[in-house]
Amino acid sequence: MGQFGFGQSVRRKEDVRFITGRGRYTDDINLPGQAAAFVVRSPHAHATFKIKGTAAAKKAPGVLAVLTGADAKADGLGSIPCKVPLKNRDGSNSAMPPYPILVEDTARHVGDAVALVVAETLAQARDAAELIDIDWTILPAAADTKGAAVKGAPQVWPEAKGNQVFDWELGDAKAAEAAFKTADKVVELELVNNRIIVNSMEPRGALGAFETKEDRYVLYTSSQGSHTIQGLIAESVFKVKPEKIRVVTPDVGGGFGMKLFLYREHALVLWAAKKIGRPVKWTSDRSEAFLSDTQGRDHVTRARLAVAKDGTFLGLKVETVANLGAYLSNYGPFIPTMAGTGMLAGLYSTPAIHAHVRGVFTHTVPIDAYRGAGRPEAAYVVERLTDIAARELGLTPDAIRRKNFIKPQAMPFTTALGETYDSGEFAAAMEKCMAAADWKGIGARKAASQKKGKVRGIGMACYVEACSGGGPENAWIDVEPSGAVTVAVGTQSNGQGHETAYAQVAADKLGIDIDRIKVIQGDTDTVKSGGGTGGSRSIPVGGVCVDGAATDVINKGKKIAAHVLEAAVADIEFADGRFAIAGTDRRMTLFEVAAAANDPKKRPAGVDAGLNGTNMFQPPASTYPNGCHIAEVEVDPETGTVQVERYTIVDDFGTVLNPMLLRGQVHGGIGQGLGQALLESCVYDETGQLVTGSLMDYCLPRAGDVPDLAFDMNPVKCKTNPLGLKGCGEAGAIGAPPTIINALVDALQPYGIRHIDMPATPQKVWSAIRAASAKRAAE
């Protein structure tokens, strides 16, 4: 292991560029002659409309084009695709209505795209939009997740009766029913997984151009994978071959799942650019993002756990209503079904589980992946239910978990929902976390809080997630005689530190200085293919590709070195950036071999020019990172204010590439999980208007809300990954919500409060305390 090898906390190479203001984001890119685009959006959640006239808008100063849904239809533009058709429990197909680029006559959520105005400046486009004559007929809206499925609720789509998108199940219903018949106790809980607005620091943006000579579109956009956007827009919207669309993703300021998807604006700027013969740029402002970015979570769940009197889990039944919004985003139906439901087994050996998920349409912004994408929702259900079961059976939170954990000697273990965990030491991680958190000393800290007129609680959650799977990934490495090394890989950094991490993998394998390595991502012209970034797959999948490509470089280099040094290939060794004949001092550096690779006189017959390598890796299975989180909270009963005082984590991420980068990922995820648990709530009123439509109304976590975090690891190598890696990007957001709510409910035990839904705002906590106190006084 060298200075920059596996396990080393290498500082991020890209940060110098970012902190000196030299980052290059989508809005920093300007093309000669570009125009500005403004999207005209519906002010109503549900309304039919008729565009009576656009003439005044077209004549307004600076206006270059006014485009409508009728224009899109006339030009043959396709719709935004949903790539996850599901089968219902009865074998029928799920509802799959269209998701048009611009709607023609019916708006289905506030912010629905009705028209596009293109002008010389954004101000001119905004002003012209006011001149479009639109006649609206407002209709009743269904905005409530549970209420959308109630008989008589306003219909979002006529072909989706009862607003049902799908009716899906996983597991063995008969086995689960049998388990409940033998149970000594049944524990039941209904909970809400609140809707989240993603709020990436960098808003979405898109800059489109049409190259007439090449007969192709060029799109610059902030995304989580250029090739994904290229394929979706080529196949579904413009109906051309992928090579007819170049997609370039520069630096990205946060994605969290939301920037994985094809959005209307991607197609709109390309379409408009071709029509006016000039590049067209659109950049979202924060208010527009609240109305047009995909949102996350939004489930209502009823869960029941069958338990023996000694605390052994016998069976689990989960019924969930999942909100999909007004349209099906690219992978929307996947999130509450195949992405997360399999994780309802948690870390436990529960023998029988059945899950039933109903997706519903509502007159709200579409829902899709948000950090964790289904796994946080599952962990929240399992870990809240486990805590309640422990309390009702008179067991401690750790005792009931320890009793039901899957044992290390049982690995690989296939759960009742079909997930096969390859590795993990769950009890060991929990015990290490409890020791670090001083679980035994909580009594004294509770007493100290009581003296201040406050109440304190401690809570834990033990999570597991499935990630780092999916389709294949590719990497390419080129070594130049000058000493420069280029690594190209098909994932996409959104701020995680890929330029450092991939360079670290290559530097470790090739035995060279990390500063020699340049990492390229995001351009479909220079990176041949790619699966993008999502599901914590970049290092466990992309990193394996880079390692394999470096191995390919070495193997090719051995052939060239053997030819130059006049030795057998089998006698050539490689170490510390040098090829050498074993047992001799005859050697060549990596870059000397690269020079030979470009010299026909020194290159052996049958070997292509250049010292390069490539690798493709198809994950054979998901990885299963896991861990234990413990939080302590202090509550002021007079105000309902909740303060997270201490937070301790012990995670298992298998082999660790860069502890500092990993720690940053965990810290960021916990910040977002804390936000969901205590602060963030996307609220629509009964008419479908977004009440929390700005950062004045929607509360994000601030620095003072997140305590210092005590982080440690209990690593167990992944057995299905060549490097032993497990994904880490979403873990914090998975473990934090149940941990914090479990701690809060523990603090509220003096009032007899059994559960409180997220976000546990001061008003909600204060109201719960007052209601519980009044109830006790009346008894």
Side-chain angles (χ1 to χ4, degrees):
M1 181 188 298
Q3 182 182 357
F4 305 109
F6 267 81
Q8 303 301 304
S9 290
V10 178
R11 290 185 177 274
R12 289 171 31 136
K13 290 162 56 75
E14 51 267 72
D15 282 353
V16 173
R17 183 172 84 251
F18 292 148
I19 64 178
T20 56
R22 290 183 286 119
R24 185 171 180 262
Y25 299 89
T26 300
D27 198 51
D28 294 322
I29 300 172
N30 295 292
L31 300 177
Q34 76 184 25
F38 178 75
V39 180
V40 181
R41 301 187 184 277
S42 171
H44 310 294
H46 191 200
T48 56
F49 67 91
K50 183 177 181 181
I51 297 178
K52 298 173 68 176
T54 60
K58 290 177 178 178
K59 293 177 182 177
V63 171
L64 302 170
V66 177
L67 302 172
T68 67
D71 297 320
K73 184 177 182 179
D75 285 358
L77 268 64
S79 297
I80 301 291
C82 174
K83 302 300 288 185
V84 191
L86 294 177
K87 288 288 185 181
N88 294 317
R89 294 196 294 171
D90 63 5
S92 62
N93 294 324
S94 60
M96 296 279 284
Y99 188 174
I101 299 301
L102 293 171
V103 293
E104 286 189 71
D105 54 19
T106 304
R108 290 181 167 85
H109 69 85
V110 174
D112 214 348
V114 172
L116 184 77
V117 180
V118 183
E120 297 287 352
T121 69
L122 179 58
Q124 290 173 331
R126 285 180 180 272
D127 289 344
E130 299 289 336
L131 301 177
I132 299 175
D133 187 5
I134 305 177
D135 186 15
W136 297 96
T137 300
I138 301 173
L139 302 172
D144 176 63
T145 301
K146 203 171 177 181
V150 173
K151 186 177 181 180
Q155 291 294 287
V156 181
W157 292 96
E159 59 264 50
K161 302 300 181 185
N163 289 322
Q164 181 172 289
V165 182
F166 56 77
D167 180 22
W168 184 88
E169 67 180 346
L170 182 68
D172 190 329
K174 290 182 179 179
E177 186 62 34
F180 273 77
K181 290 179 180 178
T182 65
D184 295 308
K185 186 171 185 61
V186 173
V187 180
E188 187 170 340
L189 175 67
E190 182 165 300
L191 52 81
V192 173
N193 206 292
N194 44 319
R195 180 184 280 234
I196 297 296
I197 296 174
V198 179
N199 279 304
S200 59
M201 186 174 289
E202 179 209 15
R204 288 191 300 110
L207 170 59
F210 185 77
E211 297 176 339
T212 305
K213 289 183 179 179
E214 291 78 9
D215 187 32
R216 71 167 184 172
Y217 299 93
V218 179
L219 174 67
Y220 298 86
T221 189
S222 180
S223 83
Q224 290 177 228
S226 295
H227 297 90
T228 301
I229 304 299
Q230 179 193 44
L232 291 171
I233 201 168
E235 175 187 1
S236 298
V237 179
F238 292 111
K239 301 165 188 174
V240 297
K241 293 180 179 180
E243 55 266 29
K244 290 296 183 180
I245 298 178
R246 178 191 179 192
V247 180
V248 181
T249 296
D251 291 325
V252 180
F256 312 116
M258 178 268 290
K259 289 182 183 172
L260 271 169
F261 317 119
L262 175 64
Y263 286 92
R264 288 163 154 166
E265 295 82 10
H266 293 141
L268 288 172
V269 296
L270 294 177
W271 177 42
K274 185 175 183 180
K275 290 187 80 70
I276 70 168
R278 292 170 56 178
V280 175
K281 187 175 189 178
W282 170 85
T283 301
S284 171
D285 61 28
R286 188 63 61 184
S287 296
E288 193 172 16
F290 274 69
L291 301 176
S292 62
D293 295 352
T294 58
Q295 297 172 358
R297 316 291 192 236
D298 205 342
H299 293 181
V300 178
T301 297
R302 177 174 175 260
R304 300 172 69 227
L305 180 65
V307 192
K309 57 186 175 184
D310 67 351
T312 301
F313 295 168
L314 303 175
L316 175 65
K317 292 182 179 181
V318 180
E319 298 270 345
T320 292
V321 178
N323 194 339
L324 277 298
Y327 301 98
L328 298 183
S329 179
N330 297 160
Y331 310 104
F334 177 73
I335 307 308
T337 55
M338 294 174 282
T341 303
M343 292 293 98
L344 285 169
L347 295 169
Y348 312 114
S349 56
T350 312
I353 306 175
H354 180 253
H356 175 206
V357 185
R358 287 183 298 144
V360 295
F361 285 117
T362 59
H363 291 105
T364 64
V365 172
I367 292 277
D368 211 313
Y370 171 66
R371 198 169 191 169
R375 287 100 73 199
E377 295 92 316
Y380 185 63
V381 171
V382 174
E383 291 302 291
R384 281 296 298 125
L385 199 57
T386 297
D387 247 40
I388 289 175
R391 203 172 296 281
E392 293 189 4
L393 289 167
L395 298 172
T396 61
D398 59 304
I400 197 168
R401 288 175 170 84
R402 192 177 290 106
K403 186 169 196 62
N404 290 285
F405 277 149
I406 300 162
K407 304 298 187 288
Q409 57 269 28
M411 299 294 180
F413 182 90
T414 301
T415 72
L417 293 175
E419 300 282 345
T420 300
Y421 304 163
D422 65 282
S423 59
E425 298 173 355
F426 310 143
M430 181 182 72
E431 287 158 7
K432 188 174 184 178
C433 194
M434 292 175 70
D438 187 21
W439 184 277
K440 292 180 179 179
I442 185 60
R445 297 192 294 277
K446 283 188 174 185
S449 293
Q450 190 173 11
K451 286 181 180 179
K452 297 186 297 181
K454 297 182 180 180
V455 291
R456 181 177 288 254
I458 191 168
M460 70 165 58
C462 297
Y463 78 93
V464 64
E465 66 153 325
C467 63
S468 311
E473 194 51 80
N474 296 273
W476 300 262
I477 295 179
D478 286 307
V479 182
E480 299 294 334
S482 63
V485 175
T486 300
V487 174
V489 63
T491 60
Q492 177 63 53
S493 178
N494 304 145
Q496 302 97 324
H498 287 188
E499 290 177 41
T500 303
Y502 288 133
Q504 199 170 346
V505 173
D508 184 82
K509 196 62 170 279
L510 296 176
I512 59 175
D513 192 308
I514 194 171
D515 290 332
R516 291 182 177 271
I517 300 171
K518 179 182 179 180
V519 174
I520 296 176
Q521 296 178 284
D523 187 339
T524 57
D525 268 10
T526 57
V527 182
K528 299 172 187 176
S529 63
T533 290
S536 300
R537 70 190 302 271
S538 291
I539 304 308
V541 182
V544 170
C545 288
V546 172
D547 182 79
T551 299
D552 202 31
V553 167
I554 293 167
N555 290 338
K556 184 176 183 180
K558 285 182 177 180
K559 295 177 183 178
I560 298 167
H563 182 72
V564 174
L565 296 173
E566 298 180 331
V569 174
D571 291 334
I572 299 296
E573 297 177 336
F574 180 81
D576 300 323
R578 293 178 175 86
F579 296 89
I581 301 174
T584 76
D585 60 357
R586 297 183 63 199
R587 62 191 62 193
M588 299 175 70
T589 68
L590 179 71
F591 302 108
E592 287 172 339
V593 171
N598 287 287
D599 185 344
K601 296 178 181 179
K602 295 181 179 180
R603 190 173 65 245
V607 175
D608 295 335
L611 183 55
N612 45 46
T614 185
N615 183 247
M616 185 275 285
F617 175 61
Q618 168 72 61
S622 296
T623 71
Y624 293 93
N626 59 86
C628 179
H629 291 209
I630 294 176
E632 271 184 50
V633 303
E634 192 174 67
V635 181
D636 184 347
E638 296 302 315
T639 63
T641 302
V642 180
Q643 184 68 38
V644 182
E645 297 287 342
R646 297 162 62 124
Y647 203 104
T648 308
I649 318 107
V650 172
D651 280 320
D652 169 15
F653 296 127
T655 303
V656 174
L657 172 61
N658 186 317
M660 184 167 61
L661 293 185
L662 185 149
R663 187 184 300 268
Q665 286 292 295
V666 173
H667 285 192
I670 288 170
Q672 288 182 289
L674 182 150
Q676 180 174 11
L678 298 178
L679 303 167
E680 299 184 50
S681 184
C682 176
V683 178
Y684 290 90
D685 69 14
E686 66 277 1
T687 69
Q689 288 293 329
L690 181 60
V691 177
T692 52
S694 76
L695 291 177
M696 295 294 290
D697 311 292
Y698 185 92
C699 186
L700 290 174
R702 297 143 294 191
D705 296 313
V706 183
D708 290 337
L709 305 173
F711 174 68
D712 202 351
M713 287 177 280
N714 186 63
V716 181
K717 280 192 174 184
C718 174
K719 296 178 181 177
T720 62
N721 182 294
L723 297 179
L725 298 155
K726 299 176 184 178
C728 72
E730 294 153 301
I734 295 169
T739 301
I740 292 169
I741 297 300
N742 283 346
L744 174 58
V745 171
D746 183 59
L748 298 177
Q749 284 312 291
Y751 306 99
I753 294 173
R754 183 175 183 264
H755 177 67
I756 191 163
D757 275 322
M758 301 186 294
T761 60
Q763 180 183 20
K764 193 179 291 185
V765 173
W766 184 89
S767 298
I769 290 172
R770 292 297 174 275
S773 299
K775 182 179 178 181
R776 287 195 169 189
E779 289 176 349

